[in-house]
Amino acid sequence: MSLPRLLLAAVALTSGGAAAAQTRTPQTVLMSPNERARAGQEQLGYADAVLAGDMIYLSGIVVGKAPNETSLEPGFDRAFRQIGKILERAGAGYGDIVDMTSYHTDVVGQIDAMSAAQKRLLGSPPPAWTAVQVVRLLPEGGIAEIKIVARRSRPAAAAQ
């Protein structure tokens, strides 16, 4: 077999495996274990996370302020704890986060609170992070949304 044909065959074999690793199946899609949250996910068409090979792609987790909260930090703390629970089900932890994107309705007013919660829960060294200002988030009352990409360090728990 000529070198160009051999290279094409190798590419075909490896890309087939990569495509199979990207397939969304009940085993690679993590839905919320909470019935109410899962119903909302099914209605809107999204999952907590999708496993693709050893990578984990989390849907955005929306941050909000609870009634009577005067600080933004508790909302960011709740969001990062929810992220931690999803990562755990996916076979990872905070230390496995490689990339984070956050969307803010007031990036300047929220960045310190997010950074404090992030440092407290994610530890050091930090992941890559991009913060973006947006006009609005869903659901109504959302002030920020955090999207995570992580690398799986152990087998995932049973798909939910």
Side-chain angles (χ1 to χ4, degrees):
M1 185 180 278
S2 70
L3 184 58
R5 277 194 176 163
L6 187 60
L7 289 173
L8 284 174
V11 168
L13 286 173
T14 58
S15 65
Q22 301 297 319
T23 303
R24 289 186 321 270
T25 66
Q27 293 74 35
T28 62
V29 174
L30 299 180
M31 301 296 287
S32 177
N34 176 290
E35 282 186 42
R36 186 173 171 215
R38 185 183 191 124
Q41 289 175 332
E42 289 171 353
Q43 178 185 0
L44 295 175
Y46 73 96
D48 275 350
V50 174
L51 310 176
D54 65 348
M55 299 305 293
I56 308 163
Y57 298 87
L58 273 69
S59 292
I61 302 298
V62 177
V63 178
K65 276 178 73 174
N68 300 322
E69 282 181 347
T70 56
S71 169
L72 298 176
E73 275 190 53
F76 283 103
D77 190 71
R78 281 189 299 275
F80 278 113
R81 290 188 189 283
Q82 184 177 353
I83 288 166
K85 289 176 184 175
I86 296 168
L87 288 172
E88 182 68 29
R89 288 178 30 230
Y94 291 126
D96 299 309
I97 295 172
V98 296
D99 185 52
M100 180 171 62
T101 304
S102 57
Y103 304 90
H104 303 264
T105 57
D106 177 8
V107 71
V108 173
Q110 298 165 1
I111 204 75
D112 288 340
M114 178 167 170
S115 183
Q118 171 194 336
K119 287 177 187 176
R120 188 171 48 257
L121 291 168
L122 273 58
S124 188
W129 176 22
T130 301
V132 179
Q133 175 85 26
V134 297
V135 174
R136 185 167 186 250
L137 293 166
L138 288 176
E140 193 67 40
I143 62 167
E145 186 165 351
I146 305 167
K147 183 159 179 36
I148 298 290
V149 177
R151 186 170 189 145
R152 197 160 29 148
S153 57
R154 60 188 178 278
Q160 302 277 335

Coordinates of all heavy atoms in Angstrom, one line a residue, residues 23-65:
T23 N -20.7 10.3 20.2 CA -22.1 9.9 20.1 C -22.8 10.1 21.4 O -22.4 9.7 22.4 CB -22.3 8.5 19.6 OG1 -21.6 8.3 18.4 CG2 -23.7 8.1 19.4
R24 N -24.0 10.8 21.3 CA -24.8 11.0 22.5 C -25.7 9.7 22.6 O -26.5 9.4 21.8 CB -25.7 12.2 22.4 CG -24.9 13.5 22.5 CD -25.7 14.8 22.5 NE -26.9 14.7 21.6 CZ -26.9 15.2 20.4 NH1 -25.8 15.6 19.8 NH2 -28.0 15.1 19.7
T25 N -25.5 9.1 23.8 CA -26.3 7.9 24.1 C -26.8 8.1 25.5 O -26.3 8.9 26.3 CB -25.5 6.6 24.0 OG1 -24.5 6.6 25.0 CG2 -24.8 6.5 22.6
P26 N -27.7 7.2 26.0 CA -28.1 7.3 27.4 C -26.9 7.1 28.4 O -27.0 7.6 29.5 CB -29.1 6.1 27.5 CG -29.7 6.0 26.2 CD -28.6 6.3 25.2
Q27 N -25.9 6.4 27.9 CA -24.7 6.3 28.8 C -23.8 7.5 28.8 O -23.0 7.6 29.7 CB -23.9 5.0 28.3 CG -24.6 3.7 28.5 CD -25.8 3.5 27.5 OE1 -25.7 3.9 26.4 NE2 -26.8 2.9 28.0
T28 N -23.9 8.3 27.7 CA -22.9 9.5 27.7 C -23.6 10.8 27.9 O -23.0 11.8 28.0 CB -22.3 9.5 26.3 OG1 -23.3 9.7 25.3 CG2 -21.4 8.3 26.0
V29 N -24.9 10.8 28.1 CA -25.7 12.0 28.4 C -26.2 11.9 29.9 O -26.9 11.0 30.2 CB -26.9 12.2 27.5 CG1 -27.7 13.4 27.9 CG2 -26.4 12.3 26.0
L30 N -25.8 12.9 30.7 CA -26.2 12.9 32.1 C -27.3 13.9 32.3 O -27.2 15.1 32.1 CB -25.0 13.3 33.0 CG -23.8 12.4 33.0 CD1 -22.8 13.0 33.9 CD2 -24.2 11.0 33.4
M31 N -28.5 13.4 32.6 CA -29.7 14.2 32.9 C -29.7 14.4 34.4 O -29.1 13.7 35.2 CB -31.0 13.6 32.4 CG -31.0 13.3 30.9 SD -30.9 14.8 29.9 CE -32.6 15.4 30.1
S32 N -30.5 15.4 34.8 CA -30.6 15.7 36.3 C -31.3 14.5 37.0 O -32.2 14.0 36.5 CB -31.4 17.0 36.5 OG -31.6 17.2 37.9
P33 N -30.8 14.2 38.2 CA -31.4 13.1 39.0 C -32.7 13.7 39.6 O -33.5 12.9 40.1 CB -30.4 12.7 40.0 CG -29.5 13.9 40.1 CD -29.5 14.6 38.8
N34 N -32.9 15.0 39.6 CA -34.1 15.6 40.2 C -35.2 15.6 39.2 O -35.0 16.1 38.1 CB -33.7 17.1 40.6 CG -34.9 17.8 41.2 OD1 -35.8 18.2 40.4 ND2 -34.8 18.1 42.4
E35 N -36.3 15.0 39.6 CA -37.4 14.8 38.6 C -37.9 16.2 38.0 O -38.2 16.2 36.8 CB -38.6 14.1 39.3 CG -38.4 12.6 39.4 CD -39.7 11.9 40.0 OE1 -40.8 12.3 39.5 OE2 -39.5 11.1 40.8
R36 N -38.1 17.2 38.8 CA -38.5 18.5 38.4 C -37.5 19.1 37.4 O -37.9 19.6 36.3 CB -38.8 19.4 39.6 CG -39.4 20.7 39.2 CD -39.9 21.5 40.4 NE -40.3 22.8 40.0 CZ -40.1 23.8 40.7 NH1 -39.5 23.8 41.9 NH2 -40.4 25.0 40.3
A37 N -36.3 19.1 37.8 CA -35.2 19.7 36.9 C -35.1 18.9 35.6 O -35.0 19.4 34.5 CB -33.9 19.7 37.6
R38 N -35.2 17.5 35.7 CA -35.2 16.7 34.5 C -36.3 17.0 33.6 O -36.1 17.0 32.4 CB -35.1 15.2 34.9 CG -34.9 14.3 33.8 CD -35.0 12.8 34.2 NE -34.6 12.0 33.1 CZ -33.6 11.1 33.2 NH1 -32.9 11.0 34.3 NH2 -33.2 10.4 32.2
A39 N -37.5 17.2 34.1 CA -38.7 17.5 33.3 C -38.4 18.8 32.5 O -38.7 18.9 31.3 CB -39.9 17.6 34.1
G40 N -37.8 19.8 33.2 CA -37.4 21.1 32.5 C -36.4 20.9 31.4 O -36.5 21.5 30.4
Q41 N -35.4 20.0 31.7 CA -34.4 19.7 30.7 C -35.0 19.0 29.5 O -34.7 19.4 28.4 CB -33.3 18.8 31.3 CG -32.4 19.5 32.3 CD -31.4 18.5 32.9 OE1 -31.7 17.3 33.1 NE2 -30.3 19.0 33.4
E42 N -35.9 18.1 29.7 CA -36.5 17.4 28.6 C -37.4 18.3 27.8 O -37.5 18.3 26.6 CB -37.3 16.2 29.1 CG -36.4 15.1 29.6 CD -37.1 13.9 30.3 OE1 -38.3 14.1 30.6 OE2 -36.4 13.0 30.7
Q43 N -38.1 19.3 28.5 CA -39.0 20.2 27.8 C -38.1 21.1 26.9 O -38.5 21.4 25.8 CB -39.7 21.1 28.8 CG -40.6 22.1 28.2 CD -41.3 23.0 29.2 OE1 -41.1 22.8 30.4 NE2 -42.1 24.0 28.7
L44 N -37.0 21.6 27.4 CA -36.2 22.6 26.7 C -35.1 21.9 25.8 O -34.6 22.5 24.8 CB -35.5 23.6 27.6 CG -36.4 24.5 28.4 CD1 -35.6 25.3 29.4 CD2 -37.2 25.4 27.4
G45 N -34.8 20.6 26.1 CA -33.9 19.9 25.2 C -32.4 20.1 25.6 O -31.6 20.4 24.7
Y46 N -32.0 19.9 26.8 CA -30.6 20.0 27.2 C -30.3 19.0 28.4 O -31.3 18.5 29.0 CB -30.2 21.4 27.6 CG -30.7 21.9 28.9 CD1 -29.9 21.8 30.0 CD2 -32.0 22.4 29.0 CE1 -30.4 22.2 31.3 CE2 -32.4 22.9 30.2 CZ -31.7 22.8 31.4 OH -32.1 23.2 32.6
A47 N -29.1 18.7 28.6 CA -28.7 17.8 29.7 C -27.8 18.5 30.6 O -27.2 19.6 30.3 CB -27.9 16.6 29.0
D48 N -27.6 17.9 31.8 CA -26.6 18.4 32.8 C -25.2 18.4 32.1 O -24.4 19.3 32.2 CB -26.5 17.5 34.0 CG -27.6 17.9 35.1 OD1 -28.2 19.0 34.9 OD2 -27.7 17.1 36.0
A49 N -24.9 17.3 31.4 CA -23.5 17.1 30.9 C -23.6 16.1 29.8 O -24.4 15.2 29.8 CB -22.5 16.8 31.9
V50 N -22.6 16.1 28.9 CA -22.4 15.1 27.9 C -20.9 14.7 28.0 O -20.0 15.5 28.1 CB -22.7 15.6 26.5 CG1 -22.3 14.6 25.4 CG2 -24.1 16.0 26.4
L51 N -20.7 13.4 28.0 CA -19.4 12.8 28.1 C -19.0 12.5 26.6 O -19.7 11.9 25.9 CB -19.4 11.5 28.9 CG -20.0 11.5 30.3 CD1 -20.0 10.2 30.9 CD2 -19.3 12.5 31.1
A52 N -17.8 12.9 26.2 CA -17.2 12.6 24.9 C -15.8 12.1 25.1 O -14.9 12.9 25.3 CB -17.3 13.9 24.0
G53 N -15.6 10.8 25.1 CA -14.3 10.3 25.4 C -14.0 10.6 26.8 O -14.8 10.3 27.7
D54 N -12.9 11.2 27.1 CA -12.5 11.5 28.5 C -12.9 13.0 28.8 O -12.5 13.5 29.8 CB -11.1 11.2 28.8 CG -10.1 12.0 28.0 OD1 -10.5 12.7 27.0 OD2 -8.9 12.0 28.3
M55 N -13.6 13.7 27.9 CA -14.0 15.0 28.1 C -15.4 15.1 28.6 O -16.3 14.3 28.2 CB -13.8 15.9 26.8 CG -12.4 15.9 26.3 SD -11.2 16.5 27.6 CE -11.7 18.2 27.7
I56 N -15.7 16.1 29.5 CA -17.0 16.3 30.0 C -17.4 17.8 29.7 O -16.7 18.7 30.0 CB -17.0 16.2 31.5 CG1 -16.4 14.9 32.0 CG2 -18.5 16.4 32.1 CD1 -16.0 14.8 33.4
Y57 N -18.6 17.9 29.0 CA -19.1 19.2 28.7 C -20.4 19.5 29.5 O -21.4 18.8 29.3 CB -19.4 19.3 27.2 CG -18.2 19.0 26.3 CD1 -17.8 17.7 26.0 CD2 -17.4 20.1 25.9 CE1 -16.6 17.5 25.3 CE2 -16.2 19.9 25.2 CZ -15.8 18.6 24.9 OH -14.7 18.4 24.1
L58 N -20.3 20.4 30.4 CA -21.4 20.7 31.2 C -22.2 21.9 30.6 O -21.7 22.8 30.1 CB -21.0 21.2 32.6 CG -20.8 20.2 33.7 CD1 -19.6 19.3 33.4 CD2 -20.7 20.8 35.1
S59 N -23.6 21.7 30.7 CA -24.4 22.9 30.3 C -24.2 24.0 31.3 O -23.8 23.7 32.4 CB -25.9 22.4 30.3 OG -26.1 21.5 29.3
G60 N -24.6 25.2 30.9 CA -24.4 26.3 31.8 C -25.2 26.2 33.0 O -26.4 25.7 33.0
I61 N -24.7 26.5 34.2 CA -25.4 26.6 35.5 C -25.7 28.0 35.8 O -24.7 28.8 35.9 CB -24.5 25.9 36.6 CG1 -24.1 24.5 36.2 CG2 -25.2 26.0 37.9 CD1 -25.3 23.5 36.1
V62 N -26.9 28.3 35.9 CA -27.4 29.7 36.2 C -27.2 30.1 37.6 O -27.6 29.3 38.5 CB -28.8 30.0 35.7 CG1 -29.3 31.4 36.0 CG2 -28.9 29.7 34.2
V63 N -26.7 31.3 37.9 CA -26.5 31.8 39.2 C -27.7 32.8 39.5 O -28.0 33.6 38.6 CB -25.2 32.5 39.3 CG1 -25.0 33.2 40.7 CG2 -24.0 31.6 39.0
G64 N -28.2 32.7 40.7 CA -29.2 33.7 41.1 C -29.1 34.0 42.5 O -28.4 33.4 43.3
K65 N -29.7 35.2 42.9 CA -29.8 35.6 44.3 C -31.0 35.0 45.0 O -32.1 35.2 44.4 CB -29.7 37.1 44.5 CG -28.3 37.6 44.4 CD -28.3 39.1 44.5 CE -28.6 39.6 45.9 NZ -28.5 41.1 46.0

